[in-house]
Amino acid sequence: MNEHPTDSLPLGVSIEGDRGVIRVYSANADSIEFLVLDPSDSSKVEQRITLKPVGDDIWQASSPAIREGVHYALRASGPDGPRHGFNNTINLIDPYSRGVVRESAREFHNVVIDRSFDWQGVEKPKTALKDTVIYEAHARGLTRGNLELHDDIRGTYAALAHPSTIAHLKEIGITAVELLPVQMFISEPRLMNMGLINYWGYNTINFFTPHHRYASTGAIEAGPQAIVEEFKTAVRELHRAGIEVILDVVYNHTAEGGARGLTYSFRGLDNSSYYRQDDQGNYHDTTGCGNSLDFSNPRVVDLVMDSLRYWTEEMQVDGFRFDLATTLARDASNQFDPNHEMLRRMVEDPILADSKLIVEPWDVGLGGWQTGGFPDRFSEWNDRYRDSVRRFWLTDIATARNSGRYDNGVAELATRLAGSRDIVDGPSGPLGGINFITAHDGFCLHDLVTYNVKHNQMNGEGNRDGNNNNYSFNHGAEGEVSDVAINIQRRRAERNMMATLMLSAGIPMVTAGDEVSKTQLGNNNAYCQDSTLSWVNWNLHPHQQELKQTFAYLSRMRRENGSLRQPNFGNFDEAQVGSDMVKWFSETGQILTEDQWNNAQQRTIMRLVSHINTDGSLNTTLLVIHGAETEIEITLPVTAHDWHVLWDSSKEVPPAKTQKLKAETRVKMGPTSMLLLRAD
């Protein structure tokens, strides 16, 4: 067998001259058929074409009937046995299909599409990692609540390309939209029986087809060709505005579920080869979703590589975030291998050379937590960052209110601010980590400061689902309140966490809606809620508009100051090209001592960073963090320059103009607040 057989023998349908060719992988089938279906009634078979084995477990057929626009299905027969799932009465989705039609909850068929498109000369933005600000968004939920859009396009790919959407993203300084899964997925029968759906989409059934439900009404009626073109148009227009598109991809499992799940595609073609299982047919599930694809099989690796190349080349996306990525690198013994062929081929593939590769570095299997364990080419979701920031600004404050003492000082937070070298100490420096405080999974920012416990009753699981350990703090009352003092504290906590994220070394990721204080009413697992609960709110109250202004301002500060987006871990001596100078001070303006560093009651710290710009000029900023509910007077460090106060988190809105201060000036800070200063 060739190392990468699909390089020379493409699977799925390809048009070769005046004939079409279908190639399908199956190591265990006895026969495979290509059914040409009546486009107006897919239950009618117009022609049956028998595929023949051509070596390397590939089945092939060639016919003039296989052409663009044809509707088709696959059927396969094979042996019985606990590892097999053959049933030659079921129409199967071609794993390499670029167009899939959903006829009903359990019935699908394929369409051969024209893969050409006019990109109008628009190229990928290719934003450097150090300049990247990621916006994790749901393709439907981002725009479904934008009532300025016509009903037919709200919540669609077309809406992503709408000027109002792009204007919002540009205003708040976003450089890359990371879309929750848009590869075709289906909802689990359990959810559908409860009248719910899989809203997030982590239940993929085909790795090449855009999810149909996110297309406009007209595109859905026109069929897969129009859906693909609408998605491509969205990518093109975002690129035209300088905004990259990253896809959250789910290659770790499929929607076919466990051994008793329904058959749609992979199980019916070769259950034994695609899924990790024992000889009795028991699935080895490291995803919590019923099955796990077997990445010890080179053909599964080929499938994922071909999918990544397709979305990179033909769909022009800029990168990928790999869900439960540890599963992708499990070897034949089901152990995580950082040198796994799947990871190695992604790193080495020239087509992916400019793609952003982001991993969720864990799964639910044995040894699944692998944060810091992936090759340097990958940027990893940093869950330690998330938890450290939440503890400092939320649960530590709650603890101090109750006991008068804090659980944590400044050491852990400073490590996260500096790029988490204890986790991602590789050649990429801080850019090896994705910093985030919230994501689609868990409390949104507003709910972190509003609820002490989750409120997931709407999910139909008796509030048993979702994480119980959220490091949240409601500031004195559960849920929404009219108490002015509590709301002031909550809004300040939101600003402090948002600023910590935007002013840390590493790549920041913000969850869509956090910039406008979106709430999910305490639901920290809204995966099945396709409603206003999950959608971004575009009709903003004054305090939401103020937070949006603050986020936009912080984005601009990060963009304008190289010292606020460090691409390196820095040094303690002096700024050099490729190595920023970083120093840490206490509230007295003196270098932080080891005792202060390790003291859990030390809650004030200053970070001084000097960065040499590309033109040789020096950019120096001072970030002051005070994590206690008391006022404090700080002394600015001894420096050879004056300071401009760029931002104060105790203020509801960014300043109209900066305030100038001398070195060694004593400055009063309010409770739980931050200051950002820049050297004159």
Side-chain angles (χ1 to χ4, degrees):
M1 180 183 293
N2 296 328
E3 183 183 8
H4 309 319
T6 58
D7 286 349
S8 56
L9 203 63
L11 300 187
V13 171
S14 55
I15 307 300
E16 301 176 6
D18 60 352
R19 302 173 70 84
V21 179
I22 175 66
R23 297 186 181 95
V24 178
Y25 161 70
S26 179
N28 292 286
D30 293 333
S31 67
I32 300 179
E33 287 185 311
F34 182 99
L35 308 184
V36 178
L37 306 177
D38 182 340
S40 60
D41 183 357
S42 61
S43 66
K44 297 180 180 178
V45 179
E46 295 184 340
Q47 186 175 348
R48 295 176 181 267
I49 301 172
T50 301
L51 282 69
K52 296 181 179 180
V54 293
D56 290 337
D57 299 326
I58 300 298
W59 297 71
Q60 176 177 308
S62 175
S63 169
I66 304 174
R67 62 190 186 276
E68 289 177 359
V70 73
H71 293 236
Y72 73 98
L74 299 176
R75 287 193 181 181
S77 298
D80 294 326
R83 289 182 60 94
H84 299 302
F86 293 104
N87 184 339
N88 65 2
T89 67
I90 297 177
N91 286 354
L92 300 174
I93 299 172
D94 175 3
Y96 279 74
S97 178
R98 270 67 171 176
V100 177
V101 174
R102 182 173 187 175
E103 306 163 44
S104 68
R106 298 187 178 185
E107 296 178 305
F108 300 80
H109 70 267
N110 313 275
V111 178
V112 180
I113 66 170
D114 176 4
R115 290 158 62 175
S116 63
F117 184 73
D118 182 9
W119 291 97
Q120 299 178 358
V122 177
E123 298 183 352
K124 295 182 179 182
K126 296 184 179 180
T127 306
L129 281 176
K130 67 180 180 63
D131 300 325
T132 296
V133 177
I134 297 174
Y135 188 76
E136 190 201 40
H138 190 282
R140 173 175 166 83
L142 175 58
T143 62
R144 188 68 183 86
N146 185 356
L147 299 181
E148 293 184 8
L149 301 179
H150 193 276
D151 287 351
D152 286 346
I153 70 165
R154 283 192 295 120
T156 69
Y157 299 128
L160 293 176
H162 192 271
S164 65
T165 306
I166 291 175
H168 173 70
L169 297 173
K170 295 291 286 184
E171 179 184 356
I172 62 174
I174 297 304
T175 71
V177 174
E178 181 178 302
L179 296 175
L180 268 64
V182 297
Q183 294 177 348
M184 189 173 189
F185 63 88
I186 56 179
S187 295
E188 298 87 338
R190 175 186 63 83
L191 287 175
M192 297 178 69
N193 290 337
M194 292 193 297
L196 301 171
I197 66 167
N198 189 321
Y199 171 67
W200 285 349
Y202 291 88
N203 207 39
T204 312
I205 196 58
N206 181 270
F207 298 129
F208 292 83
T209 303
H211 190 58
H212 63 287
R213 191 165 176 263
Y214 300 157
S216 61
T217 302
I220 293 173
E221 292 174 351
Q225 180 77 49
I227 294 171
V228 170
E229 291 178 356
E230 185 173 306
F231 178 86
K232 288 181 175 179
T233 300
V235 174
R236 184 187 66 199
E237 296 312 304
L238 285 165
H239 283 176
R240 198 191 301 274
I243 299 170
E244 295 184 314
V245 178
I246 299 171
L247 300 187
D248 194 335
V249 286
V250 188
Y251 293 118
N252 53 75
H253 76 283
T254 78
E256 291 184 310
R260 297 182 180 179
L262 300 176
T263 296
Y264 300 102
S265 179
F266 307 95
R267 178 178 286 132
L269 289 171
D270 197 348
N271 184 61
S272 180
S273 296
Y274 278 112
Y275 297 118
R276 191 182 294 276
Q277 55 188 303
D278 62 23
D279 291 339
Q280 288 71 49
N282 299 309
Y283 282 14
H284 292 173
D285 178 15
T286 59
T287 67
C289 301
N291 66 56
S292 300
L293 285 174
D294 185 1
F295 284 89
S296 67
N297 181 354
R299 288 293 185 178
V300 173
V301 175
D302 287 335
L303 171 70
V304 173
M305 286 302 303
D306 289 343
S307 173
L308 293 173
R309 292 167 178 165
Y310 174 73
W311 289 94
T312 300
E313 286 192 302
E314 293 202 28
M315 306 297 257
Q316 285 288 292
V317 303
D318 305 276
F320 306 91
R321 178 268 188 186
F322 298 94
D323 180 66
L324 299 180
T326 300
T327 292
L328 278 60
R330 288 187 177 271
D331 59 20
S333 60
N334 212 10
Q335 301 297 308
F336 174 76
D337 177 8
N339 299 310
H340 194 284
E341 181 187 8
M342 184 74 256
L343 304 181
R344 178 178 58 82
R345 287 183 60 182
M346 283 194 276
V347 168
E348 296 175 355
D349 194 284
I351 293 173
L352 304 182
D354 294 325
S355 295
K356 291 176 171 63
L357 303 179
I358 300 168
V359 293
E360 181 183 40
W362 53 78
D363 64 16
V364 300
L366 188 65
W369 192 81
Q370 291 294 331
T371 304
F374 280 75
D376 187 66
R377 174 72 169 82
F378 297 90
S379 297
E380 303 182 28
W381 268 30
N382 190 347
D383 54 326
R384 291 267 296 277
Y385 180 96
R386 173 197 64 200
D387 295 345
S388 297
V389 174
R390 290 186 183 189
R391 281 194 296 263
F392 185 87
W393 287 117
L394 298 174
T395 54
D396 282 349
I397 302 298
T399 298
R401 281 193 185 184
N402 292 326
S403 68
R405 297 184 64 80
Y406 297 94
D407 289 333
N408 299 279
V410 297
E412 176 78 7
L413 182 70
T415 302
R416 304 296 152 241
L417 283 167
S420 298
R421 194 169 193 170
D422 58 331
I423 299 173
V424 291
D425 189 12
S428 293
L431 303 179
I434 302 294
N435 297 331
F436 67 104
I437 298 170
T438 67
H440 64 278
D441 186 3
F443 276 147
C444 55
L445 185 67
H446 176 84
D447 290 0
L448 275 178
V449 305
T450 308
Y451 297 91
N452 278 354
V453 295
K454 65 187 182 183
H455 296 266
N456 297 354
Q457 289 81 2
M458 291 179 65
N459 296 351
E461 299 181 45
N463 206 33
R464 294 184 300 274
D465 62 306
N467 196 344
N468 292 315
N469 190 14
N470 297 286
Y471 301 112
S472 62
F473 177 39
N474 65 19
H475 292 82
E478 188 74 355
E480 303 298 335
V481 296
S482 58
D483 188 293
V484 174
I486 289 178
N487 285 324
I488 288 174
Q489 294 162 11
R490 289 175 174 178
R491 292 197 296 270
R492 189 169 64 241
E494 287 185 84
R495 294 192 296 273
N496 286 334
M497 287 189 286
M498 193 71 83
T500 302
L501 175 67
M502 295 306 293
L503 305 179
S504 292
I507 303 169
M509 183 189 80
V510 63
T511 306
D514 278 355
E515 79 280 12
V516 293
S517 198
K518 167 184 177 286
T519 181
Q520 293 179 172
L521 303 180
N523 192 320
N524 76 347
N525 191 36
Y527 74 104
C528 55
Q529 301 296 331
D530 183 11
S531 67
T532 54
L533 183 78
S534 295
W535 303 340
V536 174
N537 179 19
W538 288 70
N539 184 21
L540 305 182
H541 295 291
H543 76 271
Q544 293 175 310
Q545 183 64 44
E546 289 169 352
L547 184 62
K548 177 182 174 181
Q549 293 173 14
T550 294
F551 181 78
Y553 183 82
L554 291 168
S555 292
R556 180 163 68 86
M557 292 300 98
R558 181 181 178 91
R559 186 166 59 250
E560 293 178 354
N561 296 277
S563 57
L564 299 179
R565 45 186 168 85
Q566 295 171 247
N568 56 75
F569 289 119
N571 68 82
F572 298 113
D573 299 320
E574 62 178 350
Q576 302 170 11
V577 175
S579 180
D580 295 349
M581 186 274 290
V582 183
K583 291 184 178 180
W584 304 92
F585 300 87
S586 73
E587 63 273 19
T588 64
Q590 303 299 310
I591 293 292
L592 205 70
T593 66
E594 186 173 350
D595 286 344
Q596 289 173 317
W597 189 266
N598 296 315
N599 183 356
Q601 308 315 306
Q602 176 69 39
R603 297 286 294 178
T604 306
I605 192 170
M606 306 187 205
R607 183 195 67 183
L608 179 69
V609 182
S610 290
H611 171 84
I612 297 179
N613 298 318
T614 54
D615 63 2
S617 61
L618 193 67
N619 176 254
T620 300
T621 54
L622 181 70
L623 179 64
V624 187
I625 294 177
H626 176 52
E629 289 193 304
T630 56
E631 290 188 353
I632 191 174
E633 188 172 70
I634 66 166
T635 302
L636 299 181
V638 177
T639 57
H641 41 248
D642 296 333
W643 296 98
H644 290 274
V645 180
L646 300 180
W647 182 70
D648 181 347
S649 76
S650 68
K651 311 297 184 185
E652 297 276 358
V653 295
K657 61 180 181 178
T658 62
Q659 176 188 1
K660 191 170 183 179
L661 299 174
K662 296 287 186 180
E664 298 186 77
T665 298
R666 298 176 71 85
V667 180
K668 288 185 178 181
M669 290 186 68
T672 55
S673 61
M674 301 174 66
L675 288 176
L676 176 64
L677 305 93
R678 181 170 57 204
D680 194 352

